[in-house]
Amino acid sequence: MSVINPDNKKMILACDGGGIRGIIIARCLEKLESIEGRSCNKIFHLMTGTSTGAIIVAALAIGMPAKELVKLYLVKGRAMFKKNPHLWRRLFKWKYTKAEVKKNFREIFGDITLKELPVDIMITAKDTVRSETMFFEKKTFGNMLLREAVESSMSAPTYFAPNGRYIDGGVGGFNNPCYQAAVEAIHYLNYPRARLRMLSFGTGREINNMQEGEAQRKYKLGWLTYAIGEGMEDANEQQVGLVRREYVRRNEVEFRRYQLSFTPSVLTNLGIPIEQMKDAGVFKMDAVKHLEILDLIARKFADYITFTEKDGVELGEKPKLQEKDFARYLKH
């Protein structure tokens, strides 16, 4: 009997963006496949992903075992983040070339189109001409090459060149595609309400809390980094909240979220040596030089999960404003 789906519900997979940190999702799904004894494209009916999440669901949809997906990150991850050899382009346009990306996508996905996949799929990308998020799925984009959809979704501005008119699906509110996955399943694919189970995977949450007075001392570049990070994290959390308010509350979707915060307490509890976290760049989306550390975190987090948890596993929630803080702010 299936551990994850003993009651034979329609299964939905939603994978966040996060660059090389996608190794966290890959390790979790590797464990899921080992428990279930079958591949993800036999476990899930609908797979949705943004950016690195798009790479993950596309590879799984064509039947790649999750353990091979892990190897893709470990073996080819560094090569896919190959620095642009032209300094001026690296500084003023995009940091990395796409030669290895295109080569690997062609080798992995060939000329498979969305409509040829054995499962339903939805991949996000931002259309710069229409200035809106696009959701590549079979009904409307059935003839689209899978590798083109994936490349569009992972073309993060400043990191990679656009794929024609398309850039990374995480630009905007859908770096975490779980809410749109529920919309797609219920309103477009007509999956039966109350017979849906969604597994939503994050790539790790950075906590950007400032110290008292730090905001007054911050310079432009620091604010840019802060704003981008907070915008993405808030959007990720908003999608989770929308699913819970709109669909879980009405018992239309059973929702399980798997996410962890990169905080000293969480990492210590997982058995990660904190001294290895001194480099501020460990958790950046292109931190390929820290891939071994990220993989250690991924394996430890996957070990923590049993996939029998009712609501999933979220380690290290964002700190909430305390009652004493409200009283202090109300005085001003």
Side-chain angles (χ1 to χ4, degrees):
M1 181 181 289
S2 170
V3 171
I4 197 68
N5 194 25
D7 42 3
N8 199 31
K9 290 186 176 183
K10 285 281 190 179
M11 294 288 294
I12 305 169
L13 174 64
C15 298
D16 293 11
I20 199 65
R21 294 184 345 221
I23 186 69
I24 295 173
I25 301 177
R27 283 293 188 189
C28 291
L29 294 174
E30 179 186 37
K31 180 172 182 179
L32 176 60
E33 286 190 350
S34 70
I35 292 172
E36 290 289 298
R38 53 194 176 132
S39 61
C40 280
N41 69 348
K42 297 292 192 300
I43 298 172
F44 295 99
H45 301 87
L46 168 63
M47 295 181 173
T48 65
T50 297
S51 198
T52 199
I55 297 174
I56 290 170
V57 298
L60 296 174
I62 64 172
M64 179 183 288
K67 64 180 181 181
E68 294 300 319
L69 181 61
V70 168
K71 289 181 181 178
L72 177 66
Y73 277 90
L74 294 178
V75 176
K76 297 187 177 182
R78 289 183 180 86
M80 291 175 73
F81 283 93
K82 185 176 181 180
K83 284 191 176 181
N84 197 315
H86 304 287
L87 180 60
W88 72 270
R89 287 186 179 177
R90 193 159 70 238
L91 292 175
F92 299 107
K93 299 199 76 172
W94 41 83
K95 189 175 181 180
Y96 302 104
T97 69
K98 270 188 171 178
E100 284 297 316
V101 170
K102 289 179 176 291
K103 175 186 174 184
N104 281 300
F105 285 179
R106 185 174 289 277
E107 290 176 355
I108 295 168
F109 303 120
D111 291 327
I112 297 172
T113 61
L114 299 189
K115 68 182 180 183
E116 294 176 298
L117 296 173
V119 296
D120 289 319
I121 196 165
M122 186 192 75
I123 290 172
T124 69
K126 190 79 170 185
D127 187 332
T128 59
V129 175
R130 294 168 63 96
S131 190
E132 64 177 315
T133 301
M134 304 298 290
F135 304 100
F136 299 136
E137 36 69 38
K138 288 184 175 182
K139 185 175 182 180
T140 308
F141 299 94
N143 292 321
M144 188 177 196
L145 291 175
L146 180 60
R147 55 182 164 87
E148 290 293 333
V150 175
E151 183 184 341
S152 297
S153 188
M154 56 73 61
S155 296
T158 75
Y159 289 95
F160 293 103
N163 186 30
R165 62 196 285 172
Y166 299 114
I167 59 173
D168 196 296
V171 176
F174 296 95
N175 187 65
N176 174 354
C178 64
Y179 177 69
Q180 192 62 31
V183 171
E184 180 73 16
I186 292 174
H187 301 287
Y188 293 95
L189 294 174
N190 296 314
Y191 285 6
R193 299 171 189 257
R195 295 290 301 163
L196 302 175
R197 178 175 291 120
M198 184 189 301
L199 273 61
S200 169
F201 290 90
T203 59
R205 179 195 297 121
E206 287 194 83
I207 304 300
N208 298 311
N209 296 345
M210 293 188 197
Q211 298 298 316
E212 192 73 38
E214 185 180 347
Q216 285 73 28
R217 300 189 300 270
K218 220 164 193 56
Y219 290 97
K220 284 185 178 180
L221 183 59
W223 276 117
L224 177 62
T225 303
Y226 178 84
I228 292 173
E230 282 298 281
M232 183 174 291
E233 295 298 345
D234 283 355
N236 289 346
E237 296 306 313
Q238 182 186 52
Q239 299 303 310
V240 171
L242 285 170
V243 172
R244 286 176 172 153
R245 285 194 296 271
E246 296 296 320
Y247 295 106
V248 175
R249 187 175 61 180
R250 295 199 293 259
N251 296 316
E252 294 180 339
V253 176
E254 180 190 321
F255 182 71
R256 302 182 185 182
R257 176 68 170 167
Y258 297 90
Q259 177 70 301
L260 78 159
S261 296
F262 297 128
T263 61
S265 60
V266 169
L267 297 176
T268 298
N269 289 337
L270 288 176
I272 307 297
I274 297 301
E275 60 270 14
Q276 296 186 33
M277 305 295 131
K278 292 180 180 179
D279 189 328
V282 171
F283 305 118
K284 289 185 179 296
M285 291 187 291
D286 58 344
V288 289
K289 69 176 182 178
H290 298 296
L291 192 50
E292 289 79 6
I293 297 173
L294 291 173
D295 185 42
L296 177 61
I297 295 171
R299 286 184 281 114
K300 292 287 188 179
F301 184 52
D303 288 342
Y304 192 89
I305 297 170
T306 66
F307 290 105
T308 59
E309 303 89 359
K310 182 181 178 182
D311 300 314
V313 174
E314 292 195 66
L315 301 182
E317 291 291 332
K318 279 190 174 181
K320 303 296 189 294
L321 200 63
Q322 301 299 313
E323 187 175 343
K324 60 182 178 63
D325 294 317
F326 280 109
R328 178 160 60 90
Y329 286 117
L330 288 173
K331 291 178 182 178
H332 299 283

